[in-house]
Structures are given as C-alpha cells and as structure tokens.
Amino acid sequence: MATPRFTFHQPQNLEQALDMVGMYRTNGKILAGGTDLVPKLRAGLMDVHHVISLNRVPGLNRITYQDDDGLVIGSGARLADVAVHPDVRKNYPGLAHACSVMATTQIRNMATVAGNIINSAPSADTAAPLLAYEAAVILVERGGRRHVPLTEFFTGPGMNIMEPMEILEAIRVPSPPKQSGSAYLRLSARSKVDIAAVGVAGFLALDMQGAIIKARLALSAVAPTPVRCPEAEAMLAGQMPEPELLKRAAAACVRACRPIDDVRATASYRRKMVQVLAQRVIQQSFEMAKGGAA
Ligand SMILES: Cc1cc2nc3c(=O)[nH]c(=O)nc-3n(C[C@H](O)[C@H](O)[C@H](O)COP(=O)(O)OP(=O)(O)OC[C@H]3O[C@@H](n4cnc5c(N)ncnc54)[C@H](O)[C@@H]3O)c2cc1C
C-alpha cells in the first residue's frame, strides 16, 4: 500500500518540536526511527497529515552513565547504539541483550528505545528489562516536565499515559548497587526475528552474606501490558536463593500473567515458558550478582 501524503517537519530544536506538536496535536505524529509509525501509516491505520521528525533535534540521541546518577537514554538513541554501549553492557546487561536480539539489524539501526516504549506493545522487548531496572520516563511539554515511573506508564495494548502535546525526552535508569545482577530472556515462536511470545527480565541485589535484599521481575508478551511481578519479588526479598525458592518465585511470576492465545503462542505455552524463563533469569541474575558471571 502507498504511504499516504503528509507534510514532513524537521524541527531544529526541542522548542520548535514542542510548538509543532502543539500546533498539529489533532492530526500530527512524531517520528523517531519510524519502524512502528511508517508501517501503520502505510496500512492506513492512522489519519496523519503532519509528521514531525525529531532526528534533527540536538542532544536527543545521547546515552550517558554516571555511578551516582545512573543511565540516561535520550529519546533518539538507537537500539543498536544502546546494545553496544559499554556502560549499558556492564550495568544493565538485560537491556543490552534485549536491544541486541530484538528485530533485525536494519530495524535496530533505525529504531529507538523510546519508540519501543511509546508504541506500548505488550511484547515490547525493552519494556521488561526497563521495568526490572525501575526506569522512569521524562515527558516534556510547553511549560513543564514530568518524571513518570515506567510502572505507571502503560495502560493497555498500544496505550500509555502520554498526552498528545508531550514529547518523551529521555529514559532514566537508576544505577545498580555493587552486588547486583540482571538478565532478560525472550522466546519467539518462529525465529529470533519475530516479536517475542514471552519475555522475562530480572534484577537482584545481594547483601554481604549473599542473601537477596532486592528483587525485581518483569514480563512482556503475557498480559495486556508489560508487567512487574510483585508477589515473586516479595517472596525473594530477604531470602537465600535456594532452588525450591526460585521455583516458587517463578510460579508467582506465572500468577502475574494474563496471557492470550494468538498466532505466536497459546496462553498455556506462555505460562509454562514464564515458569522456565523466570527460574533461569533469577538464577542468572544471582550468579552475576555473586560475581560468577559478567
Ligand atoms: C520487521 C520488524 C521487526 C520488529 N521486531 C520487534 C521486536 O522483536 N521486538 C519489539 O519490541 N519490537 C519490534 N518491532 C517494533 C519496532 O521496531 C520497535 O517498537 C521500535 O523500537 C520503535 O522505535 P522507532 O524509533 O522506530 O519508533 P517510531 O516508529 O518512530 O515511533 C513509535 C511511536 O512512538 C511515537 N514517538 C516516537 N518517539 C517519540 C518521542 N520522543 N516523543 C513522543 N512520541 C514519540 C511515534 O509518534 C509513534 O507513535 C519490529 C518492527 C519491525 C518493522
């Protein structure tokens, strides 16, 4: 299908971009990598007369890390750049892994983490690790900025709390404590170049005796939105990670699911795979936190 006609805008700074977003709020759309937006425009799923590209706004593609301040991923940062960034690989391996295995090389070179979050697909690969790392998004509009924890961002399949006049400026991720580890595992039905049928992310912090002081677990593709698993997290906190406990925590992750049958997998397969992947993710996060794996 041919791409419908629209006016293409290239603001040169954030102020111009915010003006345009305000001016065209009823029939305009922001473009980052375009890997979600352009197929939807081509399919005639949106009535869009103005496309506002953020690609010439300076500074949006930054990826910065400081031990005391954590990670900042600008909304223009591409998946491929996040995947290989040394600070991301070292401190947020679950996110680096998600960004390096999702989609295809071409898509990863174009697509942004911000676009993946804003698209708000239940299967969004970066969402589960970012939820496990307790990320927040910075939303900006004329006259103000707000920080929204990712746990409050998603409201349904393809839906989130963003207002039409807001631009997502950056994603902030707190820095991990020293003795911590994390992982993300995903399964897709056909090959890795497919939307995930199940995704599980985990983050564990340990005390000096090796007990878990903090656990964060998150799932994608198994509920109407990416979700955290508070029951499993509470079960792990304060405990030594014994095999029986890991099994029970993974079972609690299964209880956090609300999967559906679709072309990628049945609900029952998804539940079974959450049990398997959650156990592995907790184990891998623990090994990394102990210093046994890099
Ligand atoms: C072949 C193919 C394979 C794919 N595989 C996967 C996969 O395995 N896993 C997965 O999770 N996804 C996958 N995707 C989906 C897609 O590539 C990702 O969601 C991608 O990260 C979207 O980023 P983008 O920069 O291209 O977003 P865009 O398409 O540019 O934008 C997405 C949405 O966000 C809005 N937007 C973008 N930036 C901003 C901003 N800063 N402020 C406000 N609004 C903004 C746009 O208006 C649009 O509504 C795939 C897509 C394709 C085409």
Side-chain angles (χ1 to χ4, degrees), residues 29-37 54 75 79 102-103 107 111-112 115-116 118 123-125 162 166-168 186 194-195:
K29 265 304 203 184
I30 290 174
L31 175 118
T35 64
D36 278 317
L37 183 65
L54 296 182
S75 63
L79 296 172
M102 60 190 277
I107 297 286
T112 59
N116 191 234
I118 299 165
S123 59
D125 274 296
M162 280 184 76
E166 283 181 316
I167 290 178
L168 193 156
R186 79 186 308 259
D194 193 11
I195 304 297

Side-chain angles (χ1 to χ4, degrees), residues 171-294:
I171 299 162
R172 290 196 84 101
V173 196
S175 46
K178 266 213 168 74
Q179 262 195 281
S180 63
S182 56
Y184 174 62
L185 293 175
R186 79 186 308 259
L187 269 183
S188 55
R190 290 178 299 185
S191 72
K192 76 171 198 170
V193 185
D194 193 11
I195 304 297
V198 180
V200 181
F203 167 86
L204 293 185
L206 307 182
D207 66 15
M208 297 308 283
Q209 283 69 46
I212 299 167
I213 44 174
K214 183 173 181 176
R216 295 289 177 260
L217 292 157
L219 312 174
S220 56
V222 293
T225 65
V227 288
R228 280 258 303 268
C229 309
E231 186 195 344
E233 293 170 1
M235 208 177 259
L236 290 167
Q239 305 296 318
M240 296 303 284
E242 307 296 347
E244 193 49 38
L245 175 66
L246 300 201
K247 213 182 275 181
R248 284 196 288 116
C253 289
V254 177
R255 288 194 286 279
C257 299
R258 279 189 289 146
I260 55 167
D261 292 331
D262 67 12
V263 289
R264 293 196 180 85
T266 61
S268 136
Y269 175 78
R270 287 184 153 109
R271 283 197 188 88
K272 285 186 182 126
M273 290 306 105
V274 167
Q275 174 76 40
V276 173
L277 295 188
Q279 242 172 282
R280 287 185 194 163
V281 156
I282 301 167
Q283 186 66 45
Q284 284 184 17
S285 303
F286 175 66
E287 295 299 332
M288 185 183 161
K290 273 196 316 186

Side-chain angles (χ1 to χ4, degrees), residues 129-172:
L130 286 171
L131 279 168
Y133 294 129
E134 301 187 297
V137 293
I138 304 172
L139 304 178
V140 55
E141 66 174 320
R142 273 259 167 254
R145 251 184 193 76
R146 58 179 178 139
H147 289 226
V148 179
L150 210 54
T151 44
E152 296 168 18
F153 186 77
F154 303 109
T155 53
M159 292 186 290
N160 59 57
I161 51 91
M162 280 184 76
E163 299 291 342
M165 286 165 70
E166 283 181 316
I167 290 178
L168 193 156
E169 188 180 26
I171 299 162
R172 290 196 84 101

